[in-house]
Amino acid sequence: MNDEFFATINGASLKLQVLGPEDAPTMIVHHGAPGLGSRSEPVRSFGPFADEYRVVTFDARGSGESASDGPFTHEQWVADIDGIRELLGLESIVMAGGSYGGFLSLEYTLAHPDRVSALVLRDTAANTDYDYTAVERARTSDRVTIDPWAIERIGTGEFADNAEFERYWRAILPLYDHNYDPAAVERKARATSYHFATHNFAFGVNMPEFDLSGRLPEILCPTLVVVGRHDWRTPVLASQAIADGIPNAELVVFEHSGHSPQLEEPELFQSTVRGFLKRAGVGGAA
């Protein structure tokens, strides 16, 4: 099954895409980069799991094709995840998310521990302790010269309009992949749907208060934490801190990846996640 549709969740029209058999264990996958991201990355990353799992992806409010109705708080985005779960009649889910989607996956698991059978986190963090490393890596990159204007805006919410937001995104995109491909960077920039107000709220309002490090021991479900060795935005140390804080969490470092091991080492990523889910007792459909 590959079903795309709009659904009204907590008063906002959200675009959903559901893949895989209806009677299989279900994972809800949250994209990163609010205001830039969309379900397209989770579909590419987790679509292959639709042979054994029901994979639910969506554009979060304020991103992709979904409505730009606020608020863009973590509380609202967590409520939207649970609204999707309720809409689909799911008792429990595998919660998965990367980058900013990992922040929200952690938030959802803490808010609804009885609903999460397993947690998959990719290239994310539990606080902002390591944000300074992103600025340093951008400033010292030997790949491209990053516009100082863009460096000053990393991790901030200071964009006046979508044109300015796109200028920023094009400037920092070369940092994300382990293997730099200018043509791929251009394709990504052209394919992006820009929502500057969503990003401004996420990084200007939400992130200064974001710190879940003290609550990580509350997460008792099986947890897999994966990260690219060369991730410029959320370094290995941030993932290590999550794995150290969550009881019995597993950490896997992908040696030939940047911020997106799910796309840069897809076969290893898929086998790693499948193995984890089976060990966690969330085996796929026969």
Side-chain angles (χ1 to χ4, degrees), residues 10-12 61-62 67-73 76:
N10 298 320
R61 68 171 64 214
S68 293
D69 301 331
F72 305 126
T73 61
Q76 184 62 67

Side-chain angles (χ1 to χ4, degrees), residues 13-256:
S13 177
L14 305 187
K15 184 63 176 287
L16 278 68
Q17 187 167 353
V18 182
L19 305 93
E22 291 187 18
D23 58 348
T26 300
M27 59 175 71
I28 295 181
V29 188
H30 206 296
H31 65 78
L36 290 166
S38 72
R39 69 189 186 284
S40 62
E41 180 272 312
V43 167
R44 287 179 62 196
S45 305
F46 285 86
F49 292 86
D51 62 341
E52 292 186 285
Y53 296 88
R54 192 182 191 193
V55 180
V56 179
T57 67
F58 64 102
D59 296 345
R61 68 171 64 214
S63 295
E65 296 181 67
S66 290
S68 293
D69 301 331
F72 305 126
T73 61
H74 285 193
E75 291 80 6
Q76 184 62 67
W77 281 324
V78 165
D80 290 346
I81 297 170
D82 206 52
I84 292 171
R85 180 196 61 77
E86 289 183 345
L87 174 73
L88 299 176
L90 305 170
E91 288 297 317
S92 67
I93 61 170
V94 174
M95 188 69 228
S99 197
Y100 204 108
F103 306 160
L104 298 175
S105 296
L106 284 166
E107 297 264 28
Y108 182 84
T109 303
L110 287 166
H112 302 280
D114 56 325
R115 297 299 187 185
V116 181
S117 58
L119 176 61
V120 179
L121 302 170
R122 190 266 306 163
D123 295 84
T124 192
N127 54 32
T128 59
D129 284 0
Y130 299 96
D131 280 9
Y132 73 93
T133 64
V135 174
E136 288 305 309
R137 290 193 179 193
R139 184 177 289 120
T140 60
S141 173
D142 59 2
R143 171 177 295 178
V144 292
T145 299
I146 306 299
D147 186 338
W149 173 89
I151 294 174
E152 292 174 1
R153 284 159 178 76
I154 292 172
T156 69
E158 300 178 355
F159 299 99
D161 52 34
N162 282 333
E164 194 173 78
F165 192 27
E166 181 176 355
R167 174 189 168 194
Y168 165 78
W169 187 231
R170 285 179 175 274
I172 67 169
L173 258 177
L175 298 170
Y176 277 88
D177 296 330
H178 179 40
N179 297 312
Y180 176 42
D181 181 350
V185 167
E186 178 61 23
R187 287 195 300 272
K188 291 176 184 177
R190 288 180 177 273
T192 298
S193 177
Y194 296 91
H195 303 263
F196 78 99
T198 310
H199 180 93
N200 282 352
F201 197 96
F203 286 91
V205 180
N206 294 339
M207 290 312 295
E209 304 298 324
F210 178 69
D211 186 357
L212 300 178
S213 54
R215 298 193 63 193
L216 293 177
E218 298 175 34
I219 298 176
L220 302 179
C221 66
T223 300
L224 173 67
V225 185
V226 303
V227 63
R229 173 68 70 187
H230 308 282
D231 187 343
W232 81 281
R233 191 65 181 88
T234 49
V236 172
L237 287 174
S239 289
Q240 182 68 62
I242 294 174
D244 289 345
I246 297 176
N248 301 313
E250 301 179 26
L251 174 66
V252 179
V253 179
F254 288 73
E255 299 295 338
H256 305 288

